[in-house]
Amino acid sequence: MAANSTNGSSQRSPVERGSATEDTVKCETPGLLSRLAHAGKIYTIKGFVAPMMWMREWKEYFQPPEGGPNIVKTYEPRPTLPVRIFFPASYDVTSHNPLPTLFTIHGGGFCLGHVSDDDAWNRAFADENNLLVVALNYSKAPGYPFPTAVHDVEALLLAVLADESIPIDRRPRTASSGLSRTALLGFSAGGNLSLSVSQLPSVRSHPLAPAAALSVYGVLDLSVPPNEKLANRPWKPSLPSPRGDSTDGLVGLAPTFDWTYIPYAHDLRDPLLSPLFAQRADLPPFIGIVAAELDMLAFESWQLACRLAREGVQSHGGGRNAARQMPDRKSKDAKLRVCGRETEPSARTGELEGIAPAEPDERFAFEENWDGGGVKWLLVPDVLHGFDSEGFRALMGGKEAIADAVVKTKAYTPEVGRWLKDKVWRL
């Protein structure tokens, strides 16, 4: 998450001209030996993980897990990258009735992760919202650096949309919304890919182009070094470790993830690499952003949500806050410099904040809607990166923290489902 090169497009999004990023410290691209060391570290991790993944895949083949996908399918454009398809439990598979469809993209720092990582989330979301959920796949760095993953997701998204055997709602767009009944959501690195793929001309021009793109604790700005992001993360020492730690558990591995994915001398503000710098017109009409308060990546999510909300209200009207203040990494005001509460934990264990109309708090939640578009922001209090992942929860430090993360996952996912159905698709 480091430097700006002088290569790449000269077109800059409005965020670059604002105080939120213009003072960002630049650092040098790592040399060849450093990049080789980063790659070696990733291959070592992959070597350790590979036997476990192999065993998991074989076990699934012979004993499909309860709550897994209904279909695992490959497509000709990427035959080695299977996708996983989840019908809602109430769905009659013989009916072929059309379903609104959410495409999801797993995380893993662009280097690790597996398409089955979010099976539990995908299954629950499909069942609870009566939607079709399709988990897309992509190749991993360092063997496949940027932009391979972007185009892998693009190819699979277009292939699934073209597959008439999958009951995606392909009915004509309604006169009231003019939007398809599809959306794209990603976790961590997948959040980056969700917003990146949405900008591609082949996706934007498609008759079933996603009406919304959502990022869940996404990696949205690779132009700021990981250690500098810590200054904008809350520190809540009254919480038990690791939630109460002054650092972030990701900060040690983040440079390795980043520099095995980023090509040498690439512009780090390329909107396909760092979606924080995307032009509003290049994104889907609706943008949903969910962040974890104790995640060093939350600030860049907050930046994007605020910027897109302000631009949308100024351009279209209909929102509440046309003069919204922008987050600023260098601000002396902690309310603009830190995403969430600087030191105090939430008084509401297991609950979201800012949702209730009687107690609004735009640090934690807001929606801005206008004719044909909108932005939803949700900051989940007192949780770490990956809080909604069964694998990551084991690292959260004790039964109480894990239980809190489970309850907050069950709280935020209905909010996302409601927003998609009521605001985006108008079902």
Side-chain angles (χ1 to χ4, degrees):
M1 296 178 186
N4 254 358
S5 116
T6 56
N7 295 345
S9 171
S10 61
Q11 297 298 314
R12 299 300 187 198
S13 94
V15 75
E16 293 186 78
R17 298 192 294 269
S19 60
T21 58
E22 65 184 1
D23 295 325
T24 296
V25 175
K26 313 302 190 299
C27 65
E28 296 298 326
T29 300
L32 176 61
L33 292 180
S34 294
R35 293 177 73 92
L36 289 174
H38 287 312
K41 186 183 294 187
I42 292 297
Y43 281 124
T44 299
I45 296 172
K46 287 186 175 186
F48 178 77
V49 172
M52 293 184 286
M53 294 306 305
W54 184 82
M55 289 295 294
R56 187 166 86 176
E57 289 175 359
W58 271 101
K59 184 178 179 180
E60 178 180 294
Y61 180 80
F62 289 107
Q63 290 183 299
E66 185 177 348
N70 298 87
I71 300 173
V72 178
K73 191 169 186 177
T74 58
Y75 290 90
E76 184 177 351
R78 298 294 189 276
T80 62
L81 297 173
V83 303
R84 299 165 78 84
I85 301 169
F86 300 78
F87 297 107
S90 60
Y91 185 73
D92 179 0
V93 295
T94 65
S95 70
H96 208 73
N97 289 331
L99 290 167
T101 302
L102 177 68
F103 294 89
T104 66
I105 311 169
H106 64 277
F110 307 104
C111 304
L112 306 173
H114 191 272
V115 68
S116 65
D117 286 349
D118 303 310
D119 275 3
W121 195 100
N122 292 331
R123 165 53 58 206
F125 201 83
D127 292 350
E128 292 166 7
N129 294 282
N130 198 35
L131 307 177
L132 182 69
V133 177
V134 180
L136 301 175
N137 208 343
Y138 57 95
S139 304
K140 310 299 190 297
Y144 299 93
F146 174 84
T148 305
V150 177
H151 294 300
D152 284 345
V153 173
E154 173 194 25
L156 290 173
L157 173 64
L158 296 178
V160 177
L161 289 175
D163 185 352
E164 294 288 343
S165 71
I166 306 300
I168 297 169
D169 191 339
R170 295 181 172 83
R171 290 175 294 181
R173 300 177 180 184
T174 63
S176 61
S177 70
L179 302 176
S180 75
R181 298 176 185 89
T182 65
L184 190 58
L185 177 150
F187 305 90
S188 191
N192 173 295
L193 295 172
S194 171
L195 294 168
S196 296
V197 170
S198 299
Q199 300 173 56
L200 298 175
S202 63
V203 175
R204 292 170 55 200
S205 63
H206 196 280
L208 296 176
L214 299 94
S215 167
V216 181
Y217 45 80
V219 186
L220 306 185
D221 183 6
L222 288 125
S223 71
V224 179
N227 62 308
E228 292 186 17
K229 295 185 178 185
L230 291 176
N232 308 108
R233 173 189 182 271
W235 176 29
K236 304 190 179 188
S238 62
L239 292 173
S241 179
R243 292 192 298 162
D245 293 350
S246 60
T247 189
D248 190 301
L250 293 177
V251 74
L253 274 176
T256 295
F257 289 147
D258 296 350
W259 289 117
T260 51
Y261 181 64
I262 302 167
Y264 182 78
H266 195 86
D267 180 3
L268 299 187
R269 292 185 172 184
D270 176 349
L272 296 182
L273 180 66
S274 294
L276 174 65
F277 303 101
Q279 298 283 346
R280 182 65 185 92
D282 293 337
L283 294 168
F286 288 89
I287 298 294
I289 301 180
V290 179
E293 188 184 12
L294 301 178
D295 182 3
M296 68 180 188
L297 303 176
F299 188 87
E300 57 213 61
S301 290
W302 187 34
Q303 282 182 293
L304 183 60
C306 290
R307 195 256 294 179
L308 295 180
R310 185 173 71 173
E311 289 179 359
V313 172
Q314 290 174 343
S315 298
H316 302 281
R320 297 193 308 269
N321 195 348
R324 182 181 303 279
Q325 286 187 293
M326 292 294 293
D328 183 347
R329 287 194 183 274
K330 305 297 183 180
S331 177
K332 294 181 180 179
D333 184 350
K335 290 184 178 181
L336 298 178
R337 188 186 69 251
V338 176
C339 184
R341 290 192 181 89
E342 189 172 17
T343 58
E344 292 298 318
S346 173
R348 299 175 177 177
T349 302
E351 295 184 23
L352 301 180
E353 297 196 34
I355 298 294
E359 298 180 339
D361 187 340
E362 291 203 347
R363 292 176 299 175
F364 289 91
F366 66 74
E367 284 188 31
E368 294 285 12
N369 297 292
W370 49 86
D371 187 22
V375 174
K376 181 171 182 64
W377 161 249
L378 196 59
L379 179 65
V380 183
D382 295 350
V383 294
L384 297 166
H385 187 94
F387 71 97
D388 56 357
S389 165
E390 291 184 346
F392 265 92
R393 284 175 187 153
L395 306 175
M396 289 198 168
K399 293 181 180 180
E400 181 181 340
I402 293 172
D404 182 64
V406 171
V407 173
K408 285 173 180 170
T409 298
K410 293 179 179 179
Y412 98 79
T413 49
E415 273 294 307
V416 171
R418 176 198 63 77
W419 181 71
L420 283 171
K421 291 186 288 185
D422 294 351
K423 301 295 185 180
V424 179
W425 296 326
R426 299 184 186 181
L427 299 180

